[in-house]
Amino acid sequence: MSDLPVRDEYGFYEIRLESIGGLGANLAGKILAEAGILNLGFNGSSFSSYGSEKRGSPVKAFIRFCDSDCEVRINSPVTEPHLIAVFQENLKQILPVLMGMNDKTRVVVNTARTAPAARDFLEMPGGTLYCVDALKISREEKVKLNTTILGAVCRASGFLAKEALEQAISDTLGKKYAWLVPANLKAFNRGFEEVEILEVPDDGKYPFQPFRESPPRWGYGNAPIGGTITEIASTLRNDLSASREGLLPFFIRDNCTDCTLCESTCPDYCYVWREVEKDGRKTMVNTGINYQYCKGCLRCVDICPSQAIEARNESEVDTKKLSRVSIW
Amino acid sequence: MTEVITENKQVTVVKSGNEMAAVAAKQINYHVMGFYPITPSTQIAETVDEMKANGEHDIKMIPGDGEHGAAGICYGAATGGGRVFNATSANGLLYSLEQLPVQSGTRFPMVLNVVTRSFSGPLDIKGDHSDLMTTLNMGWIILLAKDPQRGYDMNIIAVKIGEQEKVRLPVIVSSDGFFTSHQKRRVQYFENKETVQGFIGPFKAGNHALDAAHPVTIGPYMNEPDLINNKKQLSLAMAAAYEALPGIFEEYGKLSGRKYSMVETFELEDAEAALFILNSSFDTAKEAVIRLRKEGKKVGLLAANVLRPWPYHELISACKNLRALCVADRQDSFSGQGGNMTLELKATLQDDPQNRTRVFSRIYGLGGKDFYVGDAVALLNEALEVAVSGRVKNRYDYLGASSGDLNYQAESMLEPIPQAKSGLPENFNLVKDETTGITKVKGVNLRELTGMPKRVVSGHRACPGCGIFPNLNLFLKGISGNVVVLFQTGCAMVVTTGFPLTSFRVTYIHNLFQNGAATLSGLVEMFQEKKRRGEIPVDDDFTFIMVTGDGGQDIGMGPTIGTALRNHKMIILEYDNGGYMNTGYQMSFTTPFAAKTTTSHIGPAQHGKNFFHKDTAQIIAATNIPYVCTVAECNPLDYVKKAAKAQKYSSERGLVYVKAISACPLNWGDNPRLERRVIQAGVDCCFFPLYEVEEGITNITYDPEKLKKKTPVGDWLKMMGRTRHLIEPEYAQELEMFQDEVDRRWERLKARHEHSLL
Ligand SMILES: Cc1ncc(C[n+]2csc(CCOP(=O)(O)OP(=O)(O)O)c2C)c(N)n1
Ligand code: SF4
Ligand code: SF4
Ligand code: SF4
């Protein structure tokens, strides 16, 4: 029988998964809860930060474990997790994914970086870091990312028995997707094995960020009544690059014939066109992609008749340098 | 652990409140479930449907055309003398509200799960009790389920209490949206459905509509002096329910080891100050009590497990020794000095001459705002202060509302679109060919149109590859000048306008899921009238465009037909992705035949959606509006031309209806990268033919048959996860039926194209 390594004042060991919709964090939470409750004999709960569940939008999943005879009473989100798993590292750029952690917290991150580089990328103040290249592993095993990350979470937890999670994975997939079980178990085991662990020194390089609900900019004192929004076109402030799942389009101007097909297919209006003078006539030309809004769907890659758009790995493209500024 | 009688063995699982409600429904084996999807209650119908596909029960599942329809289906089924089930939330509940007093007033028991959610507007999908509290006066029994375990237990108890001979009332089981409905917990249920069936007993019908030997009149016209007596009967039935419930709780407790009571308390015995708080927050607040008790503070908790019948005596006795009570309401009865629980508790305690409890109200957790232990500590401390001072300083207030950053200066990312720049489509040349009756559009240059300012901008939260935005882009390229858009509820509105941000550079309105056409009719007529009165300059002009999903045109078909018959000068653009995508892909009436969705699962006992896709364009064409057309992103030029015609007809003649096929990679189960090919295939197989009906004359604008590109529907269906199974041998019959139906519609369309009188 396993025992919880630590408990908070309410008796819980708490896990927070930081992800984007579509990567299976919610299912990972369910698998964790089932492993802990049904197979290891803890009591507990699992739930997610639901909004409108679109692929690519930030989502959190929460898992709580306590002793079997302890009542689960708290229904609010996990704010001071013992373990955090970051499914998509670029989330760091738009959200405080490590908020509420302390020097005992274990952090799992899906990254192709080395552990020290990942530490700096995440600006992790202390604790223990577990790096796993889940994207690579899950692509190789042709499975969703979540089971690979579960492997690393299992390793990082130090108390969730591997067999219990393997059982829960098989049970969850087993009924309807039996043929997916072996590959997922392999991915899970690779996730468990192929982690790089780093004890992050509490060297003051980055500050710990205590949990805090950020107060809204608009409230009852200043918001236009009725919920009306007067700041038009304001979603232009959003950075959607964290929605990409590894691949992005790369534009090759020399091959482009300005046929406008990419413009007609891009759901995120990323192609930037400019007016130029050509042979004494004014015409529009395609100047490339605004990567701030590109979600990496690759519709444009498939549609381009002139090989002017290629799919590349995110890590191979300097999006900061190549990104175009939209003209509205 | 409680002792469990062995023949009534229970199994332990990890499940959510919604899942447990579905498990209970399956074991009860209702005759009929009428339903309509709405977050966060949808999962109940989804789970019951999945079980149906697996052959686990015999419940007849009927998707309504909206909640009003779903409630009607339930009422009709209940008059037939059988067990009936439904689940809804928020606006779904409000849309079906008028059916509730009919159900109770004519005394047909059924069970409705209200998974709580804030009602619009502005639209919020998270849980508060604004919806639930509208049901207090509907004559229904209301049981609360604060956790997933009770989601199961209360659903079983509900059947038993509602069907008692002296009661015969419909029952609501209410759990907190997301907090309970979606949270997975360790729960138990009876291994054998016979245990459940034994507890509820066989259904005993009263007077009903399916007894040929005893015809009855159900729902007569009844004025004074009789109605008051009908309500008195209802009130007596509610009193009977009050008498019966403790016994039923007792009996269920013996069976399950879980005994419930009318009210729930925690450390209340010797408490001086307490918090009254319903459902999931009650548990969170327990931790606050434990913390304060450790500090020696005498605090406790109180809640009702049953709202109707109101646990009047239990509440009076629970508050006997209390000096102060904070009532936390998750809704407000604006200016009534509290939410409904505050008002009812104050009224109740007033009746006890000995009672000295000071009651005050706090409105909390609206729109699903999280409730933390710290919040409960703050409320309990406030109650303690009142207990000590004997004075309520702040009778009624909001907990957790924020004034905002008062120094923030609003800043738009862009200026409104300058008139001069929105004018590219003004160069189009539209000429009607009088012999064919078809207008030709010339001068559309797609490259030039890339320079046109966009009315909808980037940064929205749609899934990668979503088809809605290429559709909006292409359509708006054909429209010049000022535009006002109105979106019905659905993915397009949700991903563009998450407060405080908006993707619109033009004026945008959202009303309700189903009421856009009526709403925009009103706006169009206000514009015309203000213009007529000289309150708007004569040369001001707008193109009014309503944008809706196909689901919005299921529930909103009525208002749309009304708008068409009145022929207002506006455009309706329907993006048809063949499902209720915003709520997680339930079937809509346009979903392809035999497709799998979350409410039309495939399995041994069910083969996906069991009726053909709705032909919306033809339904609308039958209203004889000036212009109807279908469009697809795979034919961009055709698309922009039709948009230009749409604008012309809407400004000169009246209503225009445009129907676009719209990709949904998330739920179609295909690769977003290939979406354009999938759309092309949908058009080429004639599932979605491209044509227009211009002043009654049908014109096919892209004929795959003539171009020798027409393909079998299977070629399209196999491209998507939702329909791929149709090419399996076991679905051969469905595939053939599907092909026949598509061909039949296509042949008829061709005939219309050929004959201007058809
Ligand atoms: C009266 C009412 N019933 C149900 C809902 C829940 N609801 C919101 S959007 C939606 C589905 C929308 O489907 P559709 O119009 O096809 O648009 P899509 O989500 O596919 O973009 C549903 C069922 C609601 N908001 N109001
Ligand atoms: S589709 Fe290709 S060729 Fe056409 S405009 Fe885009 S990049 Fe250029
Ligand atoms: S991948 Fe291409 S089509 Fe998709 S969002 Fe990025 S630029 Fe647009
Ligand atoms: S669920 Fe479908 S329709 Fe909705 S945003 Fe995602 S892709 Fe678009």
Side-chain angles (χ1 to χ4, degrees), chain B residues 59-302:
Chain B
I59 305 170
K60 174 77 184 172
M61 302 284 294
I62 310 176
D65 47 291
E67 288 83 357
H68 196 256
I73 289 165
C74 289
Y75 181 66
T79 63
R83 287 197 167 123
V84 178
F85 186 56
N86 187 2
T88 193
S89 304
N91 286 67
L93 177 69
L94 264 63
Y95 191 38
S96 52
L97 203 61
E98 66 163 332
Q99 196 63 65
L100 267 62
V102 177
Q103 190 91 36
S104 60
T106 58
R107 306 293 292 281
F108 288 98
M110 66 167 281
V111 175
L112 167 68
N113 275 246
V114 173
V115 180
T116 64
R117 156 177 161 184
S118 185
F119 54 54
S120 300
L123 182 136
D124 180 312
I125 62 164
K126 302 283 185 76
D128 70 28
H129 295 159
S130 52
D131 55 356
L132 173 63
M133 293 303 165
T134 63
T135 65
L136 290 174
N137 300 334
M138 295 295 144
W140 287 51
I141 291 168
I142 304 172
L143 308 179
L144 300 185
K146 75 173 170 63
D147 53 42
Q149 182 64 60
R150 293 187 190 197
Y152 176 72
D153 297 334
M154 290 297 181
N155 263 294
I156 295 169
I157 290 167
V159 175
K160 179 106 173 172
I161 182 66
E163 292 177 9
Q164 296 289 301
E165 191 141 336
K166 289 197 168 146
V167 178
R168 309 284 315 163
L169 284 174
V171 186
I172 285 170
V173 176
S174 187
S175 61
D176 280 358
F178 293 113
F179 302 110
T180 306
S181 66
H182 285 60
Q183 185 172 164
K184 289 187 189 277
R185 291 273 192 95
R186 184 177 69 187
V187 280
Q188 292 193 311
Y189 66 89
F190 294 109
E191 186 165 36
N192 301 312
K193 67 170 190 272
E194 288 72 25
T195 309
V196 173
Q197 303 262 347
F199 175 76
I200 57 175
F203 184 79
K204 292 197 209 75
N207 287 325
H208 68 91
L210 299 177
D211 183 350
H214 301 98
V216 287
T217 293
I218 295 169
Y221 169 54
M222 183 193 279
N223 278 343
E224 50 74 41
D226 304 303
L227 191 89
I228 195 167
N229 300 323
N230 165 280
K231 296 308 162 207
K232 174 77 183 178
Q233 282 181 325
L234 203 161
S235 160
L236 291 170
M238 204 53 100
Y242 181 70
E243 293 302 317
L245 261 169
I248 292 177
F249 283 145
E250 181 79 36
E251 195 188 329
Y252 190 78
K254 287 208 182 105
L255 186 72
S256 65
R258 295 180 294 275
K259 183 176 168 316
Y260 301 118
S261 48
M262 301 289 282
V263 300
E264 185 100 4
T265 61
F266 186 69
E267 304 280 359
L268 198 69
E269 281 292 85
D270 64 339
E272 290 166 359
L275 174 64
F276 179 96
I277 192 159
L278 294 179
N279 264 359
S280 60
S281 305
F282 182 87
D283 281 342
T284 307
K286 277 183 183 170
E287 295 291 359
V289 169
I290 294 169
R291 193 193 287 180
L292 292 174
R293 284 264 166 185
K294 279 190 196 140
E295 296 168 16
K297 295 176 173 171
K298 290 194 170 172
V299 293
L301 296 180
L302 175 61

Side-chain angles (χ1 to χ4, degrees), chain A residues 54, chain B residues 36-39 42 66-68 88-96 117 120 123 125 468 488-494 510 512-514 548-555 575-586 588 590 664 667:
Chain A
K54 307 296 175 237
Chain B
Y36 192 78
I38 182 162
T39 308
T42 314
E67 288 83 357
H68 196 256
T88 193
S89 304
N91 286 67
L93 177 69
L94 264 63
Y95 191 38
S96 52
R117 156 177 161 184
S120 300
L123 182 136
I125 62 164
I468 294 173
Q488 296 205 120
T489 317
C491 279
M493 72 81 51
V494 163
H510 168 253
L512 294 166
F513 185 24
Q514 69 276 31
T548 175
D550 48 296
Q553 293 305 77
D554 287 347
I555 192 170
Y575 63 89
D576 177 6
N577 47 29
Y580 300 146
M581 302 317 185
N582 187 43
T583 38
Y585 193 24
Q586 297 76 33
S588 80
T590 68
C664 172
N667 297 313

Side-chain angles (χ1 to χ4, degrees), chain B residues 27 131 334 414 435 510 514 576 593 671:
Chain B
Q27 296 186 320
D131 55 356
F334 306 99
L414 300 173
T435 53
H510 168 253
Q514 69 276 31
D576 177 6
F593 178 60
N671 185 345

Side-chain angles (χ1 to χ4, degrees), chain A:
Chain A
M1 191 89 184
S2 319
D3 193 17
L4 296 173
V6 270
R7 292 173 183 77
D8 68 5
E9 62 166 316
Y10 307 115
F12 292 119
Y13 181 93
E14 299 187 315
I15 303 175
R16 189 170 74 212
L17 311 180
E18 297 274 356
S19 185
I20 55 171
L23 300 184
N26 189 17
L27 193 67
K30 170 185 157 5
I31 291 172
L32 278 167
E34 285 187 0
I37 297 169
L38 299 179
N39 305 342
L40 294 170
F42 298 120
N43 196 2
S45 63
S46 110
F47 60 105
S48 303
S49 64
Y50 296 89
S52 120
E53 294 148 54
K54 307 296 175 237
R55 195 177 181 102
S57 293
V59 63
K60 295 177 202 293
F62 311 105
I63 303 96
R64 290 194 163 95
F65 292 121
C66 56
D67 293 332
S68 183
D69 54 359
C70 172
E71 212 188 311
V72 180
R73 300 185 179 117
I74 296 184
N75 292 296
S76 51
V78 168
T79 56
E80 283 155 11
H82 299 100
L83 196 161
I84 299 174
V86 183
F87 281 50
Q88 158 60 298
E89 61 178 344
N90 285 342
L91 274 172
K92 156 72 181 60
Q93 270 133 301
I94 52 171
L95 287 174
V97 289
L98 301 185
M99 191 158 78
M101 73 166 287
N102 61 35
D103 60 353
K104 302 275 181 314
T105 306
R106 301 178 177 189
V107 175
V108 171
V109 63
N110 166 23
T111 184
R113 297 169 212 267
T114 62
R119 185 246 166 147
D120 285 327
F121 180 77
L122 291 174
E123 301 185 357
M124 184 167 163
T128 315
L129 181 61
Y130 297 74
C131 294
V132 61
D133 193 347
L135 186 64
K136 179 170 141 263
I137 297 174
S138 60
R139 268 196 205 156
E140 284 169 8
E141 303 303 333
K142 300 194 173 58
V143 294
K144 273 202 160 186
L145 224 118
N146 52 3
T147 40
T148 312
I149 296 183
L150 276 176
V153 168
C154 177
R155 174 84 168 268
S157 76
F159 74 99
L160 291 168
K162 236 171 115 182
E163 300 70 37
L165 272 161
E166 287 176 333
Q167 183 66 48
I169 290 172
S170 306
D171 289 348
T172 300
L173 294 172
K175 290 161 219 151
K176 258 169 117 184
Y177 306 99
W179 69 94
L180 293 176
V181 172
N184 275 284
L185 290 181
K186 182 146 177 246
F188 170 79
N189 275 289
R190 287 188 62 188
F192 187 93
E193 296 299 336
E194 298 173 30
V195 285
E196 189 190 345
I197 304 175
L198 176 73
E199 291 297 336
V200 177
D202 184 358
D203 53 10
K205 193 166 174 188
Y206 305 107
F208 286 98
Q209 223 183 331
F211 174 79
R212 188 175 80 93
E213 275 187 316
S214 48
R217 190 189 296 150
W218 294 110
Y220 63 83
N222 64 345
I225 58 168
T228 299
I229 302 172
T230 54
E231 295 175 297
I232 57 172
S234 41
T235 54
L236 288 176
R237 291 185 188 133
N238 285 337
D239 179 346
L240 297 168
S241 40
S243 301
R244 297 192 289 261
E245 294 177 24
L247 294 173
L248 42 59
F250 179 80
F251 175 64
I252 304 159
R253 178 57 249 180
D254 287 349
N255 293 354
C256 176
T257 61
D258 301 313
C259 72
T260 77
L261 277 171
C262 53
E263 149 75 19
S264 82
T265 202
C266 177
D268 293 284
Y269 311 152
C270 299
Y271 281 90
V272 178
W273 294 73
R274 272 173 208 279
E275 195 177 60
V276 295
E277 284 231 354
K278 236 187 192 170
D279 312 327
R281 284 181 62 231
K282 283 191 174 157
T283 183
M284 302 299 295
V285 296
N286 189 355
T287 66
I289 301 161
N290 184 338
Y291 284 108
Q292 182 185 347
Y293 306 121
C294 170
K295 295 175 185 147
C297 69
L298 306 182
R299 265 174 168 257
C300 53
V301 174
D302 193 61
I303 207 171
C304 177
S306 315
Q307 283 84 48
I309 316 172
E310 278 176 17
R312 298 233 174 134
N313 280 322
E314 177 100 36
S315 51
E316 295 160 17
V317 180
D318 185 348
T319 51
K320 284 217 175 71
K321 210 175 106 206
L322 293 177
S323 196
R324 300 286 154 194
V325 178
S326 304
I327 308 162
W328 300 99

